[in-house]
Amino acid sequence: MGKALDGVRILDFTHVQSGPTCTQLLAWFGADVIKVEKAGAGDVTRGQLQDIPNVDSLYFTMLNHNKRSITLDTKHPRGKAVLERLIRHCDVLVENFAPGALERMGFPYERIRQLNPKMIVASVKGFGPGPYEDCKVYENVAQCAGGAASTTGFDDGPPLVTGAQIGDSGTGLHLALGIVCALYQRNTTGRGQKVLAAMQDGVLNLCRVKLRDQQRLARTGVMKEYPQYPDGRFGSSVPRAGNASGGGQPGWIIKCRGWQTDPNAYLYFIAQAPVWKQICAVIGKPEWITDPDYATPDARLPRLTQVFGEVEKWTMTRTKFEAMAEFNKHDIPCGPILSMEELAAEPSLRATGTVVEVDHPKRGRYLSVGNPIKLSDSPSEVKRSPLLGEHTREVLGELGLSESEIRTLEHEKVI
Ligand code: CAO
């Protein structure tokens, strides 16, 4: 059995994080991803946050698995000629340049379409059409502009960005879906099209529950599952909710044994209504099962602080894993706060390929994430990222360039 995207050729003009996550996903599913990098320089992340001098950084290696790398100066006339061949050769062009860069290079969409009407041209930009469409954007700008930061953190503190790269990797995921849809539609239309995933839009899409809450707040003036209720005040926009669950079942992060010295000795606990009796029994508050102040979800809403306080008294005498094991026996939903150290060592994640060890000729073995999406008939195999220009000659040969043409390009530093 081949791979899901066998035969799909991607001209990968992406750099930094958002675009590379998209093309890495497509490569994991079997597409031939040809990453085009600036001659002599390469993707800027190769040299950023290096942990080993002069060796491709983990930043780069973990975002560019299963790709081939060619170097090409696409502003040089001879480089442009090679790029034209690449456009004819590939199915999809993916880019996340600053707005207008592709046009300045001489390759607006119309020109690409002329060269290859079947080509899908997929872009990540910071913003969609509107007042900010010309702005450069990085991860945290998108988190702030997409509604994540204003709703993250505690009510008495400043907005917070989150560690999950929802602006970059999140938008890369959105773009990958757009590309696969456009490829699917091309099967019937025979035509390519443009695909745009704006980072602000992607973040807002992931923050949709907060847009839901904005409308609830506007209508009712209060959100009873938020920690501000009943003692705090609500303003006109959705406040930061601390660790509240954001769903119909209240939750909070509570301390477990060792929290004084271990920053991750915590558990996320959910006071799920269907298991309220079990919760009361486990934490030693059987009277709450019938007490009208605690017996129903609505009665508990103004008393969530007391509820979580009592649960915490119980969890503080156990490790997060002991507490989880006990709660799980009674179907009570909860989850330990896992550190990166714990995740890196977790055998079940290694077994499923979600965390993989990869060999690299210059850095040796390193740890990476593997494909988080599992297809039963198209399993992903994670291959190391390419060295800068490792496949230039190979790809130019496939494009039909002769040895003397390739030497000329080398001589003129176009590749
Ligand atoms: N040969 C010759 N020139 C090349 C080239 C190649 N192979 N590849 C890229 N270039 C040129 C581009 O044409 C561009 O030139 P001009 O500025 O003259 O048009 C130049 O390199 C730099 O491109 P850039 O503006 O995209 O890069 P930057 O470092 O200044 O900005 C970023 C980076 C990420 C802010 C910007 O690309 C951006 O906003 N992208 C869209 C949003 C996005 O994806 N952000 C997430 C990034 S990850 O946090």
Side-chain angles (χ1 to χ4, degrees), residues 13 15-20 36-39 44 59 71-76 95-102 104-105 124-127 135-140 165 167-168 199:
F13 248 143
H15 64 158
V16 200
Q17 186 183 162
S18 63
V36 181
E37 300 184 73
K38 261 189 209 170
V44 68
Y59 195 1
T71 50
L72 188 68
D73 179 352
T74 55
K75 289 186 173 165
H76 188 288
E95 62 93 21
N96 68 313
F97 291 131
L102 211 51
R104 288 193 291 279
M105 209 183 267
V124 169
K125 295 288 167 253
F127 294 92
C135 297
K136 286 184 176 177
V137 168
Y138 281 105
E139 169 69 46
N140 288 342
Q165 304 286 285
D168 279 339
M199 295 168 76

Side-chain angles (χ1 to χ4, degrees), residues 256-270:
C256 294
R257 200 172 76 212
W259 66 273
Q260 297 91 334
T261 50
D262 176 356
N264 295 305
Y266 290 83
L267 185 83
Y268 198 91
F269 177 82
I270 299 178

Side-chain angles (χ1 to χ4, degrees), residues 39 107 122 135 146 156 362:
F107 290 89
C135 297
D156 56 359
K362 297 209 170 162

